[in-house]
Amino acid sequence: MEPTNLYPVKLYVYDLSKGLARRLSPIMLGKQLEGIWHTSIVVHKDEFFFGSGGISSCPPGGTLLGPPDTVVEVGSTEVTEEIFLEYLSSLGESLFRGEAYNLFEHNCNTFSNEVAQFLTGKKIPSYITDLPSEVLSTPFGQALRPLLDSIQIQPPGGNTFGRPNGQS
Amino acid sequence: MPHTTSKSQVPVPVQMAQNGQTSRQPPGKDVSPSIIRVLVKTPNAQEEFVVSDDTTVSQFKEAISTQFKCNVDQLVLVFVGRILKDQDTLYQRGILDGYTVHLVIKSKNGPPPQPSGPHGPLLMDLGPREGIGKVVGNGGRQPIIPIRNTVPTPIPASEPEKAKAQSQIPQPRTAERMAQMLESPVIQQLLSNTELMRQLIMDHPEVQQLMKQNPEVGHILDNSEILRHTLDLARNPAMMQEMIQRPDMPRPPEGFWGNETNPGGDNALGRNYAELPDSLFGGIQDPLRENLFTEFMHGASSLGGTSHTQSQEKQDSKPVPRVLHNPPPGHPLSGPTPVAAAMANAPAATSKGSSRARTSSTQGIPPLTTESLDHKTDRNFPHMADDPQLLEDLSSGTRFTGSMLQLLVQNPHLAAQMMLFMGSPQLYEQMRQQLPTILQQMQLSDLLLALANPKASQALLQIEQGLQMLSTEAPALLPWLTPYLWGLGRSGFPEATAAGAQSKEASGPQGRGKTDTRYQPLAILQRLQALAGGYSQQMQPPEVRFRPQMERLRAMGFRNHNANLQALIATEGDTSAAVRRLKRSQAS
């Protein structure tokens, strides 16, 4: 049994609305939402997230959003940085290209979930992944769906990953 | 029933299973090997493999390599975060029927940093060093790379070559490394060589494009002082984050700094500030516009430099940015100019003045008096520019305002909702109750002050001074003033103070102490509404504007002239709403 390195995997959770959702969601949506969640995976001392510009990375807490509102311990992984970067780069070319971004169906949380499962076998908390369906189940959400669908979120401060020119 | 055929070609174990229990039972296993379906998932695809669960990982890999057409060495299997080693069996690793195993196929060239994609890892590592790279906007990374790489060798070498050399150098977490490099005298020297820097920057196509869009940038880059200042800025990552927050806009962030230090350079900004109010109003007046605040910020960014009549005034008052630093207590500025400038300042990624002003007005008198002293005595550019407090305020202020605006941009539905609320008075009232604390959290008070009427803030500060004196000389009066304060405080204080210039006591208490921070947020919305309603209209004292309504109120029996005025201001001239307010305050 050779010792294997275990790298901790964390999930950084940000509330994009900075508390507005908690206050206004009862009025606007008719149901209580605790926040508009944006997540990213932190492993190997880097933060990785998916936005309209594709997969990006930055130092942990290094986007303009600042430090996360919540940090969830996802688990630990044996996957080395090298393998992980390989993995991310093939993800970025296939499933998680920038154009593939959709606020409801295929967003930063989708990515975090995917990566978390790859790294640790565990999924991210369901209150995060359930958010789009929560919103869409309200009449307000349905009404604003065309508008919301076109929203593309890309927290600034990250470097786009794996593109030849480095530009999103 | 065991499958006789399988998608993968793993004949041995399957046959073994078919033959029933044979000698291939691994140690420690009691039951016969069973067939399991394992899903192998790659980033690109997934395949189902049906194998026996005592298949070793190496055998499994062989099957996979055939399926995915690659070498066994390229395969990395990950299950529950653990890398599967060749000698284990699937069963030992706990892979049961229906489980998913992740596969990473290593590319033949090795991990991502390939010569063909040199910028990948560079960008990754440039995370902490974004500052340098972003000094000249998004494209600025490239010119910097050669510097990083060629410490001893001359700079003007081909970039791809440099990048390639770079990729061969291992890139660990290199924030410290970068700092080291920055410290090195060679780098310092290079960076100080403005001619070189200028050349580097100019040579970059994106910068050239930027310059085409924005003639000011060229002007700015010509000034070595500005460049140096910019590089100093680059060393402060917090500041840089602020600067790069809106990469999609053709805005020369460094230009702002440069213009500050360079007396002549203010002209560019002076012109630009004038542009802002128009875009601002245009944006706000269309409440359902999706990118309301993008519009807003585009206005800030469209430093196209077209001359404006107001710019003439601004050019005279050169320290347009500076004016707001010393909240204009002692300086009567012409109305539109500083307000426009104020508004431009806030969104234009720096709310120096506003944060400064806010600091002064909210934190009380001592900073105020010192500043007003400074202001009164002399307006020294370098003095202000070197003020560390200034930078501090700037970075903190802009971060919040910027992030708020960023938030609104990226969530236009939020902004739309806000505007909708403002349109509907009942909802608006409701929102207003809740918003003060919300907005306070969001630090929108910067915005508020930036938007404030400078005369009002000037009056406000006078009031603060007066109150300070009162508190020291006649503290007994304070309890008497407080109820007045609460009753009047509901309306937007800057307007109130403008109106209250006539009766200082009435509006005085409003600016006092911590109520400031409470009422500022409220006034933000009112400010926005007022702006939407018409800029020039705001400049008329509310008395003039609301004369007919005031008459009506008096006729109804509300005798208190000031209270009437406050109520009207708060409701923007809506008589019935004002009546409700007055009744409410009378009852309370």
Side-chain angles (χ1 to χ4, degrees), chain B residues 534-553:
Chain B
Y535 182 71
S536 58
Q537 196 192 13
Q538 187 181 341
M539 294 325 296
Q540 289 174 10
E543 272 215 288
V544 173
R545 278 193 286 148
F546 296 138
R547 186 151 299 140
Q549 290 96 324
M550 290 289 289
E551 240 111 77
R552 244 176 274 150
L553 283 176

Side-chain angles (χ1 to χ4, degrees), chain A residues 130-157:
Chain A
D130 288 344
L131 184 67
S133 56
E134 287 274 319
V135 173
L136 284 178
S137 67
T138 67
F140 177 82
Q142 282 293 332
L144 276 195
R145 176 157 195 179
L147 171 68
L148 297 175
D149 248 345
S150 65
I151 294 179
Q152 308 249 300
I153 299 200
Q154 175 65 33

